[in-house]
Amino acid sequence: MNTATTRQTPNRRLEILASRLTEIQVDAILVTNETNVGYLSGFTGDSSYLLVQPGRTAILTDGRYETQIAAECPQLETAIRPPGQGMLDLIKELLSGTDLGRIGFESAHVSVAEFAQLRQKCPNVEWVQTSGVVEDQRIIKDASEIEITRQAVRIAERTFQSVVAKLRPDWSEQEIAYELESTMRFLGASGVSFSPIVAAGPSGALPHYHSSPNPIGDAATLLIDWGAFYQGYASDITRTLHREHASDRFRRAYDAVLEAQLTAIQAIRPGAAAKDVDEAARQTLQKAGLGDAFKHGLGHGTGLEIHEAPRLSAISDETLQTGMIITVEPGVYFEGDFGIRIEDDVLVTETGHEVLSTLPKGLDECRMML
C-alpha cells in the first residue's frame, strides 16, 4: 500500500500497529500519549489509553467520554472506569485473567512512578519499554493528512498576506503576533501551531525569540515565524522582511540563505539521508563565509505536533521517505544586528519533493512597504 497517497482509517492504523507487535516482541502495547491515542483511534478527547493487541483494541477511559467514544470510534472495545477508580486500577482489571505476558509501554510518556505502580498492580505482566513506536508510524502521512496540512499551510499564507498588508511602524512585535493568531483563527485554524515569533532588527538574531511589546519602529528587518493548526495538523513557515535601508551585509546574507534553502530543497527525495540535505544547505553557507552563523539544524517533520521526526541535522541518522512532511529552514544570526531565516514546508514525493508553501521569498519580494 502506498501510504502517501492512500487515506488510512483508524482501523487500518491499528492494524499496522498490531502487525508490528511481533517485531517489538510483545503481546500487546499500552498507548498512553494523547496524541498517539487520537491518531490511532480517531478519538478527540483526552485522559484515555489504548490497549492494542492483534485483532482486539480496547480504549480505557471514564464516563465523560462514553457517548463521544461510541460516536467517534464505535469499532473499539470500551473499558469505562467509574469515578472512584484510577486508570492504573482499570488496567489491572482489564488485564486480569488474560494471558498477556509481555506488554509494551511508551517509555517517553510514562513516569518512573507510574511504571513502578504498573509493575506493582500487574505483577504477572512483564512491562517492556518501547520508544517511538507510534511516532515512527506517524512519520509517513497519508492522503488525508497531506490534504489537511495543505489547508494549514494555506491558512498560514493567507494570514501572512493579510497582516503584512496592514503593518504599521507603531505596531509592536506582540501586536503583530496577536494579529497573526487572530487572523489564523478567523480563517479556520483551531489555533497556532506555536507562539508566533516576530522579531524586529537585532531581535531576529535570537532564533527562539519571544516577541516583545516594543514597536517595530524603523527597524530595517523583520523576521516572522508562524504556523497554523488545522484539524489537528501543523504548518510552519518563516519569512524575513526588510526595508529599503537594510544594509548591504543583510542583502548579501539574505541571498546566501535563500540559495542554501533552494539547494537543500533540491536534495530532497526518497532515499536521501536527512543529514545530507542538512549538509547541502550548510556547505552553501560555508562557501558564502556564513557557516558559523548557521547555528541550528536545517529542519524537522511536522504533523499532529509541530516538531516530529525526521530531524534534518548534521547528526541525524534518518532517511527520507515518500509521505514525510518536513520543514527546510536555514538561518544566519548576527548578534546586535539582524537574523535571517527562510522556511517552507516540503512534502517528500515518489519522484522527489513538493514545496507546499508558496509565499514569495526573493529579496525584492520580501520588502516591507511601510
Side-chain angles (χ1 to χ4, degrees):
M1 175 182 291
N2 183 345
T3 55
T5 57
T6 303
R7 183 182 184 277
Q8 291 181 359
T9 64
N11 281 349
R12 179 57 182 151
R13 291 174 179 172
L14 287 166
E15 288 171 2
I16 292 172
L17 177 58
S19 71
R20 299 179 59 199
L21 297 182
T22 301
E23 168 194 337
I24 307 168
Q25 298 183 331
V26 295
D27 302 315
I29 185 168
L30 181 67
V31 180
T32 56
N33 176 261
E34 288 181 2
T35 302
N36 289 340
V37 169
Y39 170 79
L40 292 167
S41 67
F43 177 56
T44 60
D46 55 24
S47 305
S48 302
Y49 295 173
L50 290 176
L51 182 66
V52 182
Q53 53 187 298
R56 178 186 179 190
T57 298
I59 185 164
L60 290 68
T61 189
D62 60 71
R64 294 173 298 166
Y65 295 119
E66 188 169 4
T67 301
Q68 183 176 338
I69 287 173
E72 292 181 342
C73 32
Q75 78 280 12
L76 299 183
E77 177 183 332
T78 305
I80 304 289
R81 62 183 178 90
Q85 185 182 52
M87 182 64 86
L88 298 185
D89 286 321
L90 179 60
I91 294 171
K92 175 182 178 181
E93 179 182 309
L94 189 65
L95 295 178
S96 177
T98 71
D99 58 357
L100 297 176
R102 288 172 54 87
I103 301 179
F105 70 96
E106 298 181 296
S107 59
H109 307 295
V110 174
S111 70
V112 173
E114 289 170 330
F115 175 54
Q117 290 181 62
L118 277 173
R119 294 178 66 183
Q120 179 184 5
K121 291 180 180 294
C122 306
N124 295 326
V125 172
E126 180 182 355
W127 293 99
V128 179
Q129 296 186 44
T130 68
S131 178
V133 174
V134 182
E135 287 84 352
D136 287 348
Q137 191 170 325
R138 284 166 41 193
I139 288 176
I140 307 301
K141 273 58 181 182
D142 65 27
S144 175
E145 293 174 295
I146 292 169
E147 183 54 35
I148 292 171
T149 302
R150 289 186 197 278
Q151 293 305 313
V153 170
R154 295 288 87 79
I155 289 171
E157 292 187 320
R158 290 173 59 197
T159 294
F160 180 80
Q161 292 167 330
S162 172
V163 173
V164 168
K166 48 190 179 183
L167 281 178
R168 300 194 312 264
D170 61 335
W171 277 20
S172 72
E173 294 171 341
Q174 283 182 351
E175 286 175 312
I176 297 170
Y178 297 155
E179 188 71 15
L180 288 164
E181 179 170 359
S182 173
T183 304
M184 281 188 275
R185 289 183 179 275
F186 179 80
L187 292 174
S190 58
V192 294
S193 48
F194 57 93
S195 296
I197 299 171
V198 180
S203 299
L206 302 171
H208 279 183
Y209 175 69
H210 295 287
S211 304
S212 79
N214 300 324
I216 63 173
D218 64 350
T221 64
L222 184 66
L223 186 154
I224 302 178
D225 188 348
W226 79 106
F229 262 130
Y230 177 72
Q231 294 186 11
Y233 287 80
S235 57
D236 188 0
I237 307 172
T238 306
R239 290 293 183 266
T240 304
L241 307 176
H242 68 283
R243 285 173 163 164
E244 190 62 37
H245 61 279
S247 66
D248 289 341
R249 183 191 190 197
F250 169 85
R251 295 170 190 276
R252 289 192 299 270
Y254 189 97
D255 285 339
V257 173
L258 180 57
E259 181 183 355
Q261 198 221 24
L262 294 174
T263 300
I265 289 173
Q266 283 304 117
I268 294 173
R269 65 184 186 282
K275 66 180 179 181
D276 290 346
V277 179
D278 175 273
E279 182 64 16
R282 212 163 291 279
Q283 285 187 356
T284 302
L285 289 172
Q286 287 172 347
K287 289 176 183 177
L290 300 175
D292 291 342
F294 184 16
K295 302 177 180 181
H296 53 74
L298 180 66
H300 55 85
T302 67
L304 292 169
E305 296 175 292
I306 185 58
H307 292 109
E308 296 191 351
R311 299 284 178 162
L312 278 64
S313 73
I315 61 173
S316 173
D317 60 359
E318 294 163 298
T319 300
L320 300 187
Q321 303 175 57
T322 302
M324 289 179 170
I325 297 178
I326 55 179
T327 68
V328 181
E329 47 181 304
V332 295
Y333 309 93
F334 300 97
E335 183 178 355
D337 199 352
F338 61 82
I340 299 167
R341 188 163 62 253
I342 304 172
E343 176 183 20
D344 287 298
D345 299 327
V346 181
L347 169 68
V348 183
T349 66
E350 291 181 346
T351 57
H353 61 268
E354 176 190 349
V355 182
L356 300 180
S357 37
T358 61
L359 287 172
K361 54 188 174 184
L363 180 64
D364 291 339
E365 297 168 311
C366 290
R367 196 170 78 178
M368 288 186 287
M369 306 299 290
L370 298 183

